[in-house]
Amino acid sequence: MARGLFPWGFFRKPLYVQARFSYLHMKYLFFSWLAVFVGSWIVYVEYSAYTELCRGHDCKNSICNKYKKGVIDGSACSSLCEKDTLYLGKCYTAKANSQVYSGIWGDLEGVIKCQMEEAPQYDLGSEMEPRKEATAFNKPTEGTSVEKFREMILNHLKAKVGDQANLADLATQVLSITDANKDGHISLPEARSTWALLQLNEFLLALVLQDREHTPKLLGFCGDLYVMEKVPYSPLYGISLPWIMEVWIPAGLRRSMDQWFTPSWPHKAKISIGLLELVEDIFHGTFGSFLMCDVSANSFGYNDRHDLKVMDARYIVPEATFQEIIRQQRCDVDENCLYGADCLTSCDLTKHRCTPEVTRPNLAKACEALKDYILRGAPYDVREELEKQLYACIALKGSTEQMEIEHSLILNNLKTLLWKKISHTKDS
């Protein structure tokens, strides 16, 4: 009987092992091919997104063609188009119509920004900047005198920021920048480049705040391509994760993770004071008021001295321009009256038009952005008062005269509280 069992045992075991090996082999092949397929799809999607967004070389070619034809000129044109001493580095573009690259210009590191596509209509879903006029480079026209160009600049600034007393000084600054080669004369190509740049909120804000430390310095321009000083540390806080990880991380944990890799608390206090000073500078400032319509960490950075720098000023818009455009917006609910992430007005249901006054002032939005950032690691002896002031700040509404007094009081209290804590340290 044992001999009768032996052949069956001899044959059945190899068949079982063979079947198991075949199953494991197929399983391994299936998951290998699945991994290859998913990986290839991710690479394809990322590459497609990159090629669609990152079109800096197209922008450069367009600018250089116009420069070589004598349509535009500027301090960066020769380096970009002839000497090849200004070149585009890593792509940071988030929107195809506004190209952003790191750049090297001789010994200088900077950020190159270039406008790509026409968007002649104002749209609450995009920047409040008419691109058609800028990209055509057809103004001023041939034969325009310097005085006439100065008048054009004044009228444009008045339309942007309102009728301010010292706009003539700002116009003089614009003319000084226009003379890119500093030969004492303004050529038509130089004037056309400057006129194109004046359509951009970021360029206008850099002019308005050029004596302050909050905006990166303008290093040069060519047409509406311009080079800004590089900000070493950005965004203000937060870590970048692959999208597949973002899906599975709870919102509370994600907010906590954003604060993991931040400077020491005294350095954060100095950076926070910088943001509060920026709010102060653009709130009824020298050249009118500006609204901060995207007060997120990605919009700001800081340098080695922990001075706050504006990274993306596209959504810091003149209040006069915002009110003029928002009045024309048709609405059925308040959400139809939102520009950017943070500039919301109410909907007048009797007229189905948006009202011009924003529901929250700049300071309230800034305090909300700073709350988790500055409270994490705050010294015990200031934390309670700091938290109290921040929540009072976040609760600010409207822009009435009484609210402006409270606005100034809270702003000064916060700055004083932070300065008092760090003034005796080297971090100040």
Side-chain angles (χ1 to χ4, degrees):
M1 188 164 182
R3 284 185 299 180
L5 290 173
F6 178 78
W8 285 105
F10 180 80
F11 287 109
R12 288 178 65 187
K13 189 171 182 180
L15 286 173
Y16 169 75
V17 172
Q18 186 178 6
R20 180 171 177 80
F21 173 77
S22 179
Y23 168 73
L24 290 174
H25 184 64
M26 292 297 294
K27 187 176 179 181
Y28 170 77
L29 283 176
F30 171 75
F31 283 109
S32 297
W33 278 108
L34 182 63
V36 169
F37 173 77
V38 172
S40 300
W41 179 77
I42 291 173
V43 169
Y44 171 75
V45 169
E46 291 293 324
Y47 177 76
S48 298
Y50 179 88
T51 53
E52 183 179 343
L53 283 176
C54 298
R55 300 168 56 199
H57 291 285
D58 292 337
C59 200
K60 175 187 173 182
N61 290 338
S62 175
I63 288 290
C64 288
N65 284 339
K66 291 180 175 67
Y67 166 65
K68 290 170 182 176
K69 291 177 181 177
V71 177
I72 58 174
D73 199 0
S75 54
C77 289
S78 177
S79 298
L80 180 72
C81 303
E82 293 176 341
K83 300 177 182 177
D84 286 327
T85 54
L86 171 60
Y87 61 90
L88 282 65
K90 184 177 179 181
C91 175
Y92 293 102
T93 303
K95 290 189 175 182
N97 65 341
S98 184
Q99 298 290 304
V100 182
Y101 280 78
S102 65
I104 303 293
W105 192 359
D107 297 330
L108 297 174
E109 288 187 81
V111 175
I112 301 172
K113 301 189 177 186
C114 182
Q115 315 309 309
M116 276 294 294
E117 298 174 356
E118 296 183 357
Q121 300 297 322
Y122 285 111
D123 182 2
L124 291 185
S126 60
E127 294 82 24
M128 280 194 175
E129 298 170 348
R131 299 295 322 128
K132 187 173 183 179
E133 186 177 42
T135 53
F137 298 111
N138 56 6
K139 288 188 178 182
T141 56
E142 193 168 354
T144 302
S145 66
V146 173
E147 281 305 312
K148 179 64 177 176
F149 183 49
R150 180 186 177 87
E151 185 181 337
M152 286 174 60
I153 293 171
L154 275 170
N155 290 335
H156 176 74
L157 294 174
K158 190 180 295 184
K160 278 279 190 179
V161 301
D163 192 4
Q164 306 297 322
N166 45 8
L167 284 185
D169 296 337
L170 190 57
T172 301
Q173 294 175 18
V174 173
L175 288 174
S176 175
I177 292 171
T178 304
D179 182 15
N181 57 8
K182 304 303 177 187
D183 62 353
H185 301 282
I186 295 176
S187 66
L188 182 61
E190 287 175 334
R192 283 174 171 167
S193 290
T194 303
W195 185 255
L197 289 170
L198 279 175
Q199 314 307 313
L200 307 175
N201 291 329
E202 186 164 46
F203 182 77
L204 181 61
L205 188 72
L207 285 176
V208 169
L209 298 179
Q210 66 176 340
D211 295 329
R212 306 293 289 174
E213 62 188 19
H214 309 306
T215 54
K217 294 177 182 177
L218 177 70
L219 301 180
F221 63 90
C222 183
D224 57 0
L225 177 149
Y226 56 105
V227 188
M228 303 292 287
E229 171 191 19
K230 181 183 177 181
V231 178
Y233 304 101
S234 63
L236 186 60
Y237 57 80
I239 57 175
S240 179
L241 296 173
W243 64 268
I244 198 165
M245 292 180 65
E246 293 275 11
V247 175
W248 299 102
I249 298 177
L253 176 60
R254 186 69 180 88
R255 285 195 300 271
S256 178
M257 290 171 65
D258 282 339
Q259 306 300 331
W260 285 357
F261 304 102
T262 53
S264 65
W265 190 85
H267 287 149
K268 290 195 292 185
K270 186 180 181 185
I271 294 166
S272 299
I273 290 169
L275 182 55
L276 295 174
E277 288 177 342
L278 172 65
V279 171
E280 195 171 26
D281 287 342
I282 65 176
F283 179 69
H284 295 327
T286 308
F287 301 107
S289 295
F290 286 73
L291 295 175
M292 301 170 71
C293 296
D294 185 3
V295 191
S296 64
N298 290 331
S299 298
F300 305 98
Y302 56 94
N303 62 15
D304 292 320
R305 298 175 55 220
H306 298 92
D307 298 321
L308 179 98
K309 297 288 183 180
V310 178
M311 290 292 299
D312 186 353
R314 289 176 300 163
Y315 288 97
I316 301 180
V317 298
E319 186 176 28
T321 301
F322 173 84
Q323 291 182 343
E324 179 185 349
I325 301 305
I326 203 74
R327 281 193 186 100
Q328 303 169 18
Q329 176 71 12
R330 180 173 175 78
C331 63
D332 296 307
V333 292
D334 289 350
E335 286 71 21
N336 297 146
C337 304
L338 177 67
Y339 171 65
D342 296 310
C343 283
L344 178 70
T345 73
S346 57
C347 180
D348 184 348
L349 293 177
T350 60
K351 300 177 181 178
H352 287 282
R353 288 289 185 273
C354 296
T355 57
E357 298 295 334
V358 292
T359 56
R360 299 183 72 202
N362 291 335
L363 183 59
K365 304 169 209 172
C367 287
E368 188 166 23
L370 288 175
K371 179 172 69 68
D372 293 338
Y373 180 70
I374 195 62
L375 287 178
R376 182 182 175 90
Y380 178 78
D381 57 333
V382 298
R383 182 183 173 86
E384 184 177 348
E385 180 63 21
L386 182 57
E387 189 171 15
K388 176 184 173 183
Q389 292 291 338
L390 283 170
Y391 277 106
C393 175
I394 292 170
L396 287 171
K397 300 286 184 183
S399 59
T400 62
E401 184 177 347
Q402 183 64 34
M403 185 58 68
E404 288 183 13
I405 296 173
E406 188 176 358
H407 177 286
S408 299
L409 183 63
I410 291 175
L411 180 64
N412 289 330
N413 286 345
L414 279 168
K415 285 173 60 181
T416 301
L417 183 63
L418 294 172
W419 268 125
K420 186 177 180 180
K421 190 62 184 174
I422 66 171
S423 60
H424 63 284
T425 70
K426 63 180 181 180
D427 302 305
S428 62

